[in-house]
C-alpha cells in the first residue's frame, strides 16, 4: 500500500486533495435512452418541421449523454480512491476521476451552448443562465473556461485547474457540488423530454387529426 505526504497529494491532485476523505457524488437516477427514442422516431424524421432545431437538439442530446456517462465513470473512480483511505492513496483512480469530471463539465457546457443556439431561433426560449447570476450553469461555464484555458498565471497559484472535494468540484475561482451536477443533467433531460417526446407526440397527433379530417370530412348542414 502506498501513502503520500499531504504536500505530494496537493501537488499532484490539486490544492485540497490531502483533505479529501469521502465520495460525495451520488449516483445518477435512471435516465431514458433518448438516442433509442430518436431512432424510433425515424418515421417522424422524414418530415422534420424545423431541421436546424432538430440538429441542434440532437447535438444537445449527445452532449448530455456524454456528461452523464463521464459523471458515472468519474464517480466509480472516486469511490475506488475514497474506499482505500486512509490506508492507501490510489492516485491513479483519483486522476482518472478528476479527468472524467472535467469531461462532464465540458459536455454540460457544450449542451448549454447548443441550447443557447436553439434559443436564438425558437420562441419561447429556454433559460440557461444570465452572466453573473451565480447559478450552477454560470459556475459550470466558469469551471469549463478554467479547465480549457489553464495558463501560466493560474498555474502560479494552483497545481491543477480543477480538483475534487468531499462535496463536489473546485477551482481557484468557483465551486460546484455533485448535487448541482446531477440536477443540471436532470434539467437537460427535462428539455430532452420536450424535444424528443412531447413535441413529436404533438406533431404525430396533428398529423393523425389531419388524416382523419381528410378521410372523414364534415358534411355541411343543408
Amino acid at each position: 500500500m502506498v501513502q503520500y505526504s499531504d504536500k505530494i497529494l496537493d501537488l499532484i491532485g490539486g490544492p485540497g486533495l490531502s483533505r479529501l476523505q469521502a465520495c460525495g457524488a451520488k449516483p445518477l437516477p435512471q435516465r431514458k435512452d433518448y438516442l433509442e427514442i430518436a431512432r424510433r422516431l425515424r418515421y417522424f424524421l422524414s418530415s422534420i418541421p424545423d431541421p436546424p432545431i432538430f440538429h441542434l437538439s440532437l447535438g444537445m442530446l449527445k452532449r448530455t449523454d456524454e456528461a452523464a456517462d463521464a459523471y458515472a465513470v468519474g464517480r466509480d473512480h472516486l469511490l475506488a480512491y475514497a474506499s482505500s483511505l486512509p490506508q492507501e492513496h490510489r492516485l491513479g483512480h483519483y486522476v482518472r476521476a478528476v479527468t472524467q469530471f472535467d469531461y462532464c463539465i465540458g459536455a454540460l457546457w457544450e449542451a448549454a451552448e447548443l441550447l443557447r443556439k436553439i434559443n436564438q431561433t425558437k420562441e419561447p426560449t429556454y433559460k440557461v443562465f444570465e452572466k453573473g447570476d451565480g447559478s450552477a450553469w454560470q459556475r459550470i461555464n466558469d469551471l469549463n473556461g478554467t479547465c480549457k484555458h489553464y495558463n501560466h498565471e493560474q498555474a502560479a497559484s494552483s497545481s491543477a485547474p480543477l480538483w475534487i472535494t468531499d462535496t463536489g468540484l473546485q477551482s481557484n475561482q468557483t465551486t460546484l457540488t455533485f448535487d448541482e451536477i446531477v440536477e443540471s443533467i436532470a434539467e437537460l433531460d427535462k428539455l430532452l423530454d420536450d424535444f424528443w417526446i412531447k413535441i413529436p407526440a404533438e406533431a404525430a397527433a396533428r398529423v393523425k387529426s389531419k388524416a382523419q379530417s381528410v378521410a372523414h370530412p364534415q358534411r355541411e348542414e343543408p
Side-chain angles (χ1 to χ4, degrees), residues 75-137:
R75 178 179 180 273
D76 287 344
H77 284 296
L78 181 54
L79 281 170
Y81 176 80
S83 66
S84 67
L85 299 175
Q87 292 83 7
E88 183 178 10
H89 295 128
R90 302 169 71 183
L91 280 179
H93 281 295
Y94 174 83
V95 171
R96 286 187 282 274
V98 78
T99 298
Q100 291 297 320
F101 287 130
D102 184 353
Y103 292 160
C104 174
I105 293 300
L108 286 173
W109 178 84
E110 290 175 6
E113 275 294 288
L114 289 165
L115 181 58
R116 182 182 63 81
K117 292 171 183 176
I118 290 173
N119 283 343
Q120 293 173 348
T121 60
K122 183 176 178 62
E123 293 289 346
T125 59
Y126 296 89
K127 182 179 178 182
V128 184
F129 68 89
E130 297 179 4
K131 188 174 181 181
D133 66 6
S135 66
W137 285 107

Side-chain angles (χ1 to χ4, degrees), residues 102 106 109-110 142-151 154 161:
D102 184 353
W109 178 84
E110 290 175 6
D142 294 342
L143 283 176
N144 181 69
T146 297
C147 292
K148 286 179 65 176
H149 305 294
Y150 185 59
N151 56 32
Q154 292 169 325

